[in-house]
Amino acid sequence: DGGITQSPKYLFRKEGQNVTLSCEQNLNHDAMYWYRQDPGQGLRLIYYSQIVNDFQKGDIAEGYSVSREKKESFPLTVTSAQKNPTAFYLCASTPGQGAYEQYFGPGTRLTVT
Amino acid sequence: GENVEQHPSTLSVQEGDSAVIKCTYSDSASNYFPWYKQELGKGPQLIIDIRSNVGEKKDQRIAVTLNKTAKHFSLHITETQPEDSAVYFCAASIPNTGNQFYFGTGTSLTVIP
């Protein structure tokens, strides 16, 4: 099956710990994205990557880091510097090169206590 | 940057009635407008989209209309069914910005049987 996978579905961490969320796609898409979703709010862009080894900050990049070493993978690290890390995190991808359709993974719910 | 506003935030309709959700955008350079359906605890699913060179698009019970002059677009769902109950998000994308998407804050639709 083609698609975007995120793991784990639920993640619990203690305050002060870094945590890495996984995102993998087998759609051969060039561009990948990370969004954060809080209750009652829209999706806010954290980071995006148009090609391997390149990525740009979105609107709320502070306290997060990413890497894009492979086309299929775009992991997100939530660092201890992120003041309110508890949220629902969504990974997405688009084909790139002028093709706009964006597809989402199932999400990871991160709870930090 | 682009600003997308979405109304209403909640909407309840009787089964079989129609539902309309409206969005406005601020940047006239936006040229792609997708709509997503998100069920509880899941990632958003692309249900329909429209490009700026088209005024209306229909897919079975759902349709989207775009008014470029007024910078607004709407989602229309006819003959609503209980399984249509979900949160719906609109978005706008500006070309040559790394395929960034700007999302509305969502509409929680409840279809009452």
Side-chain angles (χ1 to χ4, degrees), chain B residues 39-60:
Chain B
E39 297 177 344
L40 193 63
K42 297 184 178 180
Q45 178 187 7
L46 177 66
I47 57 172
I48 196 167
D49 56 13
I50 192 167
R51 298 177 193 272
S52 59
N53 59 346
V54 175
E56 183 174 358
K57 184 177 179 180
K58 189 173 182 180
D59 182 4
Q60 299 183 341

Side-chain angles (χ1 to χ4, degrees), chain A residues 32-45:
Chain A
M32 297 186 72
Y33 308 76
W34 274 105
Y35 294 91
R36 170 183 172 134
Q37 186 174 33
D38 294 286
Q41 298 192 32
L43 281 68
R44 293 185 290 167
L45 182 65

Side-chain angles (χ1 to χ4, degrees), chain A residues 9 33 37 48 100-102, chain B residues 36 38 41 51 99 101:
Chain A
K9 188 169 178 64
Y33 308 76
Q37 186 174 33
Y48 65 103
Y100 298 141
E101 293 81 6
Q102 184 170 77
Chain B
Y36 291 88
Q38 185 178 28
R51 298 177 193 272
N99 277 6
F101 289 75

Side-chain angles (χ1 to χ4, degrees), chain B residues 76-98:
Chain B
H76 304 253
I77 306 174
T78 58
E79 302 173 20
T80 53
Q81 301 167 3
E83 50 265 40
D84 293 330
S85 296
V87 178
Y88 291 81
F89 289 96
C90 63
S93 181
I94 304 174
N96 303 320
T97 60

